[in-house]
Amino acid sequence: MAAGTISRIRLENFMCHSSLHIELGEHVNFITGQNGSGKSAILTALCVAFGCRAKNTQRAASLKDFIKTGCSYASILVDISNHGEDAFKPEVFGNVIILERRITESSSSTVLKDQHGRKVAHRKDDLVEIIEHFNIDVENPCVIMSQDKSREFLHSGNDKDKFKFFFKATLLQQVNDLLGSIRKNLNAADSIVEELERSIMPVLKELDDIQDKIKYMEHIEEIAHEIENLKKKLAWAWVYDVDKKIGEQTEKLEKLRERIPACQERIDRNTAIIEELSKELIVKKENVRSFLEKTQEVRRMKEKMQHDIHEQSTNMSKTIEKKVDCSSSCFFSLAVKLKMDLEKEHARGMQVLNKMNTRVKQLEVQVHEFQLQHMQQTQAEVFQVEDSIRELQQEINSANLSATRLSEEEKKLSEELHDIIKSISDIGKEVDEDGRRINQLKSQIEDLRRRQHDKLTAFGGDRVQNLYRSIERHHSRFKCPPIGPIGYHVQLASDCWSLAVDCALGRLLDAFIVSCHKDSLVLRECAKEVKYHNLQIIIYDFAKPRLDIPNHLLPSTTHLTILSVIHSENPTILNVLVDQGHAERQVLVRDYEVGKSVAFDKRIRNLKEVYTSDGCKMFYRGSVETILPPNRKWRAGRLCTSLGEKIIEIENEAAEIKKINSERLDCKGKLVIDRDNINSKLRSLKRKREDEEQHLERKKVQLDDTKKISIANKHDTAVDTSELEAEMMQVKEDIGNKELVLEKINLKLTDALREENDKRASYKDFIDILCFPVVNSLHILNAKCFTPESAHAEMGSISDAEHELQLVEEKIHDAQQDKAHYEGVMEMKVLAPIQMTESELTDLQKLHQEYFEKASRICAESEVEALGGVGGSTLEQLSDCINKLNQKFQQESRRYTKTIDDLRALHDKKGRKILRKQQMYEGFRGKLNACQKALDLRWRKFQRNTGLLKRQLTWLFNEHLGKKGISGHINVHYKNEVLSVELTMPQDASRDTVRDTRGLSGGERSFSTLCFTLALHGMTEAPFRAMDEFDVFMDAVSRKISLDTLVDFAVAQGSQWIFITPHDISMVKAGDRIKKQQMAAPRG
């Protein structure tokens, strides 16, 4: 019998049966009997045995209701055939699996037994595994159609009920529910993953906050770094400032020293002049002295004569003056007084007028100068502002280009850094993977060396050695010594098949063989003693000779089988490998393509599996083709004998991997150095870019301010000189008034002068008349005493000499003054400044040395030059900048208490943690997406299969209807969940289509339903099928056609069928594949 078919059913106290024993045939089974004889109870028992709930059988509300009245329990035993290539764990259950379901009032249990009746399993999962292996679905109406389902389906004309029947029978309902549950689970999982992703958002925000703090602290560090740089610049700025002062003093000293020759030349020239003039002065003084001695006597004589003349003239003058004074005082007093008053008034007026004119000129000059100055200032300011705007715009453009260039460089470096980090990560993963691979290879080498030393360890390690020793200790308890492990007693014809044979036989090579059940118990105790759990023990008759397998049971191929490449001196080993491992039906091929051709293309009889030389497994079950890849960890099968070559090969591979790994580590080291260098460059570029951006912003602000100033200047270009012009006009008006007054005074003064002149002329004539005799007498007397020519000559000579002497003295005095001046200049403005400058220069040089030593201790001068130098900044500017930055540094340092290292460590810690979570959630998301894609793919395949099943159902339905001359069509609407049947009866001349089966006769409706059911049967797979009262409401002709159709279909399909009917089945032809059984009549 084929695997999965029912060979026997035994019922005890189940429903109406006290004890029932039914043997079933391999193919078609008819069970007949009167109503109430318990026919339907058999199918109900099958449903309950295979795990169906009581309510789903529609025969009871609970399992205890199946217990026969008056009994305390019910028992169902079902013998399932376990022969052939599709057998389920034949090494455990044997040729028959006994399924026992026991029901009591309070509980129920399921037990699985082997062919000898020994209990093997009792869990529900074990039963489910058997059901899934044999594809037994008792709730599928195409597997077991109970009496109630038959009647419901035969009588129902509802399209929705038909659709449900079709949807469930073709397992589409199960697949649809499964896909729906998967979609629901995926949606739930997606919600969970979304919740998990949302849960890390606060942590990401916190991470961003920490990153902002780090950036802020980096900014503070940059400030501190900038302060340090400024301090370095300031230190050297002091040196440069002293250098500048030394240069200035040196230049000043040179200029002062250049003035010494000029001053000395002036002093020497004046000295020579003084000496020459002194000599000339001495000569002049001697001449004057001798001349004075000569003229002294003449002077005394002159003085005596003048004295006498003076006495005489005095007496005469007194007489005349007395006469004249009386007349002149009266004659001139009024005229002179009037003239003097007018002159004084005129002088005052002219003085006031001059002052006014001067004031007017001053005002005009002020207005002109003010306008000119304002115009010059305005033009200068405009030009200066325009120049400033142009310069600022150029600086902004330059700074913008520089910032853009720095940004692009930073971006390129960031991309390069990302690539390097990715390469480092990839190399790290490859190194880790290689490390694991090397460990695996080392483990394989150790395993191969143990096997090389002792072949026994390949089939269980140290446990099998301990088991051997235990067997030796208990050898007297065995009826026959156990044989094993099987692999230890097997040799290969060629080592090239070691992997394939190991994959095919697997754990069977570790198994032990005993001759009886008692020996198996003893061996199990020995295994338990050495803690060798799950030891596979096979019971086999040692006396059997080697099996002779006929050619028609072997695969019809020229390729080798496992049985043909193995050898053992013990025939029992080979018999067990045939019975338990199907070694004669497992084919060996060299490569993958040949294996696919042998396994799937040719459909070779008696072929179970195909194995390639590298361990790839290929087989098919029904319409499903399966290919299992080889285990890449295996390098040599356990039956391989050339272990030394394998060990050398693995060692060479490990050495090659180590070499590659070393090269990768070197490459990783270089990449780490490159990463650090790029990080340093990136930080430097970042600082430069930020400085450039800050500089750019400052320049933009300056440009805006300058434009505002320019606009303000344009609106304020007018000059206010109204006050000056008003004052000037007032002064001009006053000048005009004053000039009129002065003209009047001039007229009066002219009249007064004319009057005075007239009076003076009259007075002169009067005096001349009065004084002529006296004057004449005096002239005569003077002529007698001293001639005028001699006196004049004498006085001229003296005067010339004195004049020359005076000139020489003045020249000497001037020369002395010039000499004293230049000597003072030399002393005060040349020598003293030189001395002071030299002293200051010495002090500056000492200060320079001191500042240079201090600055050198702070940093090297080249470092300052690398920073861009002092850049023209003054000491005050650098000090102010340092003070401002120190204040800013102190203020911003108090903002956070943690250091930047703590923040970075915290950021790294949280970053690694969140990265692990993100990677894990990304893995979840990737798996969910993969599952969603797989689900969508399966859903599309499901939709495609529904259309294919619909067409297949119509074809099979027409095929079965055609046996009675009926044609039809089935319409399935999956969206509306309806199924309609269209029939055309042969006797209908109009060839109209009958849509509703209720419009047919009972027999026709039953036959069409039977055809529909058989069409569904042809689309499903199951080891056995059962139908109860399938021929209800059929007439004799329809029943005969239906029975013939059913029998032909069942025989052709080859699976096991169980038909239950109360009607006579004598019209069914007997045959070797048809078995009929009659149920006993029910007892009254």
Side-chain angles (χ1 to χ4, degrees):
M1 298 182 71
T5 57
I6 309 299
S7 61
R8 182 169 57 184
I9 300 174
R10 288 170 287 178
L11 304 180
E12 186 177 355
N13 300 329
F14 185 81
M15 294 181 70
C16 62
H17 298 288
S18 297
S19 178
L20 177 65
H21 184 97
I22 294 181
E23 298 283 346
L24 297 177
E26 185 178 358
H27 298 289
V28 180
N29 296 273
F30 281 97
I31 300 175
T32 61
Q34 300 179 9
N35 291 330
S37 60
K39 302 185 300 299
S40 299
I42 298 173
L43 296 187
T44 304
L46 279 177
C47 292
V48 172
F50 283 104
C52 184
R53 293 184 177 183
K55 290 182 179 180
N56 294 341
T57 63
Q58 299 180 351
R59 303 299 295 270
S62 62
L63 290 177
K64 66 180 180 179
D65 295 337
F66 291 122
I67 300 175
K68 187 177 181 182
T69 304
C71 298
S72 60
Y73 74 94
S75 177
I76 306 170
L77 280 84
V78 178
D79 293 355
I80 304 171
S81 177
N82 199 33
H83 290 280
E85 61 181 5
D86 294 330
F88 177 76
K89 296 181 181 180
E91 69 278 4
V92 178
F93 292 98
N95 296 329
V96 177
I97 300 174
I98 301 175
L99 170 60
E100 180 180 357
R101 184 73 184 270
R102 189 174 182 85
I103 304 171
T104 63
E105 292 289 340
S106 58
S107 64
S108 66
S109 61
T110 301
V111 178
L112 297 175
K113 299 179 181 179
D114 62 7
Q115 63 182 0
H116 302 292
R118 293 187 296 268
K119 179 179 177 181
V120 176
H122 62 280
R123 297 183 307 162
K124 185 177 180 181
D125 293 341
D126 298 320
L127 175 61
V128 171
E129 189 177 1
I130 290 175
I131 291 172
E132 290 179 351
H133 180 80
F134 291 122
N135 196 22
I136 301 172
D137 185 8
V138 294
E139 294 187 2
N140 189 340
C142 282
V143 177
I144 295 179
M145 181 180 288
S146 64
Q147 184 181 25
D148 297 328
K149 290 180 181 178
S150 296
R151 290 174 181 171
E152 179 183 355
F153 181 63
L154 290 173
H155 285 287
S156 176
N158 191 344
D159 292 343
K160 287 188 175 292
D161 293 337
K162 293 177 183 177
F163 178 82
K164 291 178 181 178
F165 184 80
F166 159 74
F167 212 52
K168 190 171 184 180
T170 54
L171 299 181
L172 291 176
Q173 179 71 51
Q174 181 181 353
V175 176
N176 185 61
D177 294 342
L178 182 61
L179 292 177
S181 64
I182 292 173
R183 191 176 299 279
K184 183 178 179 181
N185 292 334
L186 282 178
N187 292 334
D190 184 71
S191 301
I192 293 172
V193 172
E194 286 182 356
E195 184 64 29
L196 290 173
E197 290 173 344
R198 285 195 298 270
S199 67
I200 65 174
M201 295 305 294
V203 184
L204 289 174
K205 186 178 180 182
E206 183 181 355
L207 203 63
D208 292 337
D209 294 339
I210 295 174
Q211 184 64 36
D212 292 339
K213 291 181 181 179
I214 290 174
K215 289 182 179 179
Y216 188 81
M217 296 301 289
E218 287 177 349
H219 175 62
I220 294 175
E221 280 190 343
E222 290 175 359
I223 293 175
H225 184 67
E226 187 174 357
I227 291 172
E228 292 297 324
N229 292 338
L230 288 175
K231 287 181 178 178
K232 294 176 183 178
K233 290 183 178 181
L234 181 62
W236 283 99
W238 283 104
V239 178
Y240 298 152
D241 185 66
V242 174
D243 284 338
K244 182 179 179 182
K245 289 180 180 179
I246 288 174
E248 292 175 354
Q249 292 296 328
T250 303
E251 184 179 357
K252 180 179 178 182
L253 186 62
E254 291 296 329
K255 289 182 179 179
L256 289 173
R257 286 174 177 171
E258 288 176 357
R259 294 175 62 183
I260 291 176
C263 290
Q264 189 63 43
E265 190 268 334
R266 295 287 183 90
I267 292 171
D268 294 341
R269 187 173 60 187
N270 285 321
T271 302
I273 292 171
I274 290 171
E275 289 178 356
E276 292 177 359
L277 290 175
S278 296
K279 293 177 181 180
E280 185 179 357
L281 180 64
I282 293 171
V283 173
K284 293 289 183 183
K285 282 183 177 181
E286 185 65 28
N287 293 331
V288 169
R289 186 180 61 78
S290 61
F291 184 74
L292 287 176
E293 289 177 355
K294 290 178 180 180
T295 59
Q296 188 174 8
E297 184 66 28
V298 177
R299 283 182 179 275
R300 283 195 298 267
M301 292 173 66
K302 180 183 176 181
E303 287 176 358
K304 182 178 179 182
M305 291 176 70
Q306 286 178 349
H307 180 70
D308 293 338
I309 293 169
H310 181 68
E311 287 180 356
Q312 292 178 7
S313 62
T314 302
N315 293 329
M316 291 175 72
S317 298
K318 286 180 180 178
T319 304
I320 293 170
E321 286 176 0
K322 287 179 182 180
K323 294 178 182 180
V324 173
D325 287 338
C326 293
S327 60
S328 62
S329 59
C330 296
F331 188 79
F332 289 108
S333 59
L334 293 175
V336 171
K337 183 178 182 181
L338 177 62
K339 187 191 74 166
M340 292 177 65
D341 291 339
L342 289 173
E343 287 179 350
K344 289 179 180 179
E345 186 175 357
H346 184 271
R348 285 196 300 270
M350 288 300 294
Q351 187 177 4
V352 171
L353 187 62
N354 290 333
K355 288 182 179 179
M356 287 182 178
N357 287 324
T358 303
R359 180 59 180 165
V360 169
K361 292 180 180 178
Q362 289 177 353
L363 290 174
E364 289 177 349
V365 170
Q366 286 182 3
V367 170
H368 179 70
E369 288 180 353
F370 189 71
Q371 290 177 345
L372 181 62
Q373 182 179 5
H374 180 75
M375 183 178 65
Q376 291 176 351
Q377 288 179 352
T378 304
Q379 290 178 352
E381 288 176 358
V382 170
F383 293 151
Q384 184 177 2
V385 169
E386 290 177 353
D387 293 340
S388 299
I389 290 174
R390 282 195 298 273
E391 291 177 358
L392 287 173
Q393 190 62 47
Q394 291 176 357
E395 291 179 359
I396 287 172
N397 295 335
S398 176
N400 195 8
L401 290 174
S402 179
T404 304
R405 178 181 57 79
L406 291 173
S407 298
E408 292 177 353
E409 291 180 1
E410 185 178 355
K411 183 179 179 182
K412 291 180 181 178
L413 284 178
S414 299
E415 293 175 354
E416 185 177 354
L417 180 63
H418 179 268
D419 294 339
I420 290 176
I421 292 173
K422 185 179 179 182
S423 299
I424 291 173
S425 176
D426 294 340
I427 291 174
K429 291 178 182 178
E430 291 174 355
V431 169
D432 294 340
E433 183 65 29
D434 288 343
R436 288 191 292 270
R437 180 60 180 161
I438 289 172
N439 292 333
Q440 291 176 1
L441 293 176
K442 287 181 179 179
S443 176
Q444 292 179 14
I445 290 172
E446 292 175 358
D447 183 52
L448 291 176
R449 284 175 177 167
R450 283 197 301 269
R451 288 165 51 185
Q452 193 177 24
H453 181 265
D454 188 356
K455 181 181 178 181
L456 187 63
T457 57
F459 306 100
D462 295 335
R463 297 179 304 169
V464 71
Q465 293 180 339
N466 296 331
L467 180 59
Y468 256 73
R469 287 190 284 269
S470 179
I471 291 172
E472 288 293 332
R473 288 194 299 270
H474 301 282
H475 70 279
S476 59
R477 297 176 58 187
F478 290 98
K479 181 179 178 181
C480 292
I483 301 173
I486 292 176
Y488 185 69
H489 299 276
V490 174
Q491 297 83 35
L492 281 177
S494 175
D495 286 342
C496 66
W497 303 113
S498 60
L499 270 177
V501 173
D502 208 339
C503 293
L505 300 179
R507 291 184 62 242
L508 189 60
L509 295 176
D510 299 335
F512 279 71
I513 307 172
V514 295
S515 60
C516 62
H517 180 65
K518 180 182 176 182
D519 287 352
S520 70
L521 295 177
V522 176
L523 183 59
R524 185 71 66 187
E525 291 178 4
C526 294
K528 186 176 181 181
E529 180 182 341
V530 297
K531 297 182 180 179
Y532 192 167
H533 304 293
N534 302 321
L535 175 64
Q536 185 176 355
I537 301 173
I538 299 172
I539 301 173
Y540 201 84
D541 187 4
F542 289 177
K544 283 186 178 181
R546 180 172 177 176
L547 297 174
D548 185 14
I549 304 171
N551 291 331
H552 69 275
L553 296 179
L554 295 174
S556 56
T557 178
T558 57
H559 293 280
L560 297 175
T561 63
I562 289 180
L563 185 62
S564 64
V565 298
I566 60 176
H567 172 69
S568 178
E569 296 178 357
N570 194 330
T572 303
I573 296 291
L574 299 176
N575 292 342
V576 169
L577 291 177
V578 171
D579 287 342
Q580 301 294 329
H582 307 286
E584 81 286 2
R585 297 170 56 198
Q586 294 173 331
V587 174
L588 301 176
V589 296
R590 288 287 180 181
D591 54 40
Y592 181 82
E593 295 299 330
V594 176
K596 282 179 64 178
S597 175
V598 173
F600 306 133
D601 296 344
K602 299 179 181 179
R603 296 288 179 174
I604 299 172
R605 292 177 57 236
N606 301 320
L607 175 65
K608 183 181 180 183
E609 292 156 350
V610 175
Y611 291 89
T612 62
S613 59
D614 59 353
C616 184
K617 180 180 179 181
M618 306 176 187
F619 62 93
Y620 67 89
R621 296 291 183 270
S623 60
V624 179
E625 298 177 353
T626 304
I627 300 175
L628 300 179
N631 189 344
R632 295 299 178 186
K633 295 181 180 179
W634 292 0
R635 300 298 296 268
R638 290 178 291 175
L639 297 177
C640 181
T641 56
S642 57
L643 298 179
E645 297 177 0
K646 294 293 182 183
I647 290 173
I648 294 173
E649 180 184 345
I650 295 174
E651 287 177 345
N652 292 335
E653 183 178 351
E656 185 65 25
I657 293 174
K658 287 182 180 178
K659 181 179 178 182
I660 295 172
N661 215 1
S662 176
E663 294 176 356
R664 286 174 178 164
L665 289 175
D666 294 339
C667 182
K668 182 180 179 182
K670 294 179 182 178
L671 288 175
V672 168
I673 294 173
D674 294 341
R675 181 195 63 188
D676 295 338
N677 293 334
I678 291 176
N679 271 326
S680 177
K681 291 180 182 178
L682 198 59
R683 286 194 294 270
S684 177
L685 273 178
K686 183 178 179 182
R687 286 195 297 270
K688 290 181 180 179
R689 178 181 56 78
E690 290 178 352
D691 293 342
E692 200 67 33
E693 289 176 352
Q694 292 176 1
H695 177 68
L696 178 62
E697 291 299 325
R698 289 196 297 270
K699 292 300 178 182
K700 287 183 178 179
V701 172
Q702 291 180 9
L703 180 62
D704 294 338
D705 294 341
T706 306
K707 288 181 178 179
K708 290 178 182 177
I709 292 171
S710 175
I711 293 171
N713 289 336
K714 289 179 181 179
H715 289 295
D716 191 19
T717 56
V719 182
D720 188 8
T721 58
S722 58
E723 294 181 359
L724 294 175
E725 292 176 352
E727 184 180 356
M728 188 169 60
M729 293 299 294
Q730 182 65 38
V731 173
K732 286 182 178 180
E733 185 177 353
D734 293 340
I735 288 172
N737 296 331
K738 203 67 176 177
E739 285 177 348
L740 293 175
V741 173
L742 285 176
E743 287 179 0
K744 294 178 180 179
I745 293 172
N746 281 330
L747 291 175
K748 292 179 180 180
L749 182 61
T750 303
D751 295 339
L753 287 174
R754 189 184 301 114
E755 183 180 357
E756 181 186 3
N757 290 330
D758 293 340
K759 289 180 178 182
R760 282 185 181 277
S762 300
Y763 180 72
K764 183 178 181 182
D765 293 338
F766 173 74
I767 291 300
D768 289 339
I769 294 171
L770 181 65
C771 296
F772 179 75
V774 178
V775 171
N776 191 20
S777 299
L778 288 172
H779 285 170
I780 294 170
L781 184 59
N782 278 327
K784 292 178 177 181
C785 296
F786 186 76
T787 59
E789 292 80 2
S790 61
H792 181 73
E794 184 179 359
M795 291 304 295
S797 299
I798 295 172
S799 176
D800 292 337
E802 288 179 350
H803 180 68
E804 291 178 358
L805 184 63
Q806 185 178 0
L807 287 175
V808 172
E809 288 177 351
E810 287 177 357
K811 289 180 180 179
I812 291 173
H813 183 265
D814 292 338
Q816 288 177 346
Q817 283 184 345
D818 288 342
K819 179 181 178 182
H821 169 72
Y822 285 110
E823 286 177 349
V825 170
M826 174 71 81
E827 184 67 27
M828 300 302 298
K829 295 185 179 181
V830 177
L831 296 179
I834 287 174
Q835 186 177 2
M836 185 181 299
T837 304
E838 288 177 346
S839 176
E840 291 177 357
L841 185 61
T842 303
D843 294 338
L844 287 173
Q845 288 174 347
K846 292 179 181 178
L847 191 63
H848 176 271
Q849 184 65 26
E850 180 183 355
Y851 286 166
F852 183 82
E853 291 177 357
K854 290 181 179 179
S856 299
R857 286 196 295 270
I858 294 174
C859 69
E861 187 176 5
S862 59
E863 188 175 348
V864 175
E865 291 176 355
L867 294 173
V870 176
S873 300
T874 62
L875 296 173
E876 292 76 11
Q877 291 174 343
L878 291 173
S879 299
D880 292 342
C881 188
I882 290 172
N883 292 331
K884 290 179 181 178
L885 288 176
N886 277 325
Q887 292 176 0
K888 185 177 180 181
F889 178 77
Q890 292 173 1
Q891 290 175 358
E892 296 184 355
S893 297
R894 291 192 292 268
R895 185 172 178 181
Y896 299 114
T897 57
K898 292 185 178 180
T899 64
I900 190 171
D901 293 332
D902 295 337
L903 289 173
R904 283 173 177 164
L906 180 62
H907 183 272
D908 292 341
K909 181 180 178 182
K910 289 184 177 292
R912 288 192 298 269
K913 184 177 179 181
I914 202 67
L915 180 62
R916 286 195 299 270
K917 288 187 177 181
Q918 284 178 332
Q919 290 175 348
M920 181 171 63
Y921 298 161
E922 286 176 0
F924 291 162
R925 178 63 63 188
K927 290 178 181 178
L928 282 177
N929 292 336
C931 291
Q932 187 64 47
K933 290 181 181 178
L935 178 62
D936 295 339
L937 177 62
R938 281 161 175 75
W939 180 254
R940 289 193 296 271
K941 288 184 178 180
F942 174 74
Q943 297 292 333
R944 180 172 174 269
N945 288 336
T946 55
L948 295 176
L949 289 174
K950 172 185 173 182
R951 290 196 291 270
Q952 185 181 4
L953 179 63
T954 300
W955 296 337
L956 294 176
F957 181 61
N958 266 322
E959 181 182 351
H960 294 299
L961 287 176
K963 296 179 181 179
K964 201 175 179 181
I966 304 174
S967 62
H969 183 74
I970 296 177
N971 293 319
V972 181
H973 299 279
Y974 292 100
K975 185 176 180 180
N976 300 327
E977 297 184 354
V978 294
L979 185 147
S980 59
V981 178
E982 298 178 355
L983 296 177
T984 302
M985 306 306 294
Q987 67 273 15
D988 192 353
S990 62
R991 306 297 292 175
D992 289 337
T993 298
V994 180
R995 295 183 179 277
D996 196 343
T997 55
R998 288 178 293 187
L1000 302 173
S1001 66
E1004 291 172 343
R1005 183 169 63 248
S1006 297
F1007 180 75
S1008 64
T1009 304
L1010 179 64
C1011 293
F1012 176 68
T1013 305
L1014 291 178
L1016 291 176
H1017 277 295
M1019 297 167 61
T1020 58
E1021 292 184 2
F1024 67 87
R1025 307 169 192 269
M1027 299 178 68
D1028 189 7
E1029 296 190 3
F1030 59 90
D1031 53 355
V1032 67
F1033 303 117
M1034 289 186 185
D1035 55 19
V1037 177
S1038 296
R1039 183 177 295 109
K1040 184 177 184 310
I1041 294 174
S1042 298
L1043 286 173
D1044 292 340
T1045 302
L1046 278 173
V1047 172
D1048 293 342
F1049 180 80
V1051 171
Q1053 193 183 36
S1055 59
Q1056 186 183 36
W1057 286 78
I1058 303 171
F1059 298 112
I1060 298 176
T1061 177
H1063 300 288
D1064 181 25
I1065 58 171
S1066 58
M1067 72 285 295
V1068 177
K1069 297 179 181 179
D1072 55 351
R1073 294 196 174 191
I1074 300 174
K1075 185 175 182 180
K1076 302 179 182 179
Q1077 297 186 62
Q1078 179 74 35
M1079 295 290 294
R1083 298 181 182 178

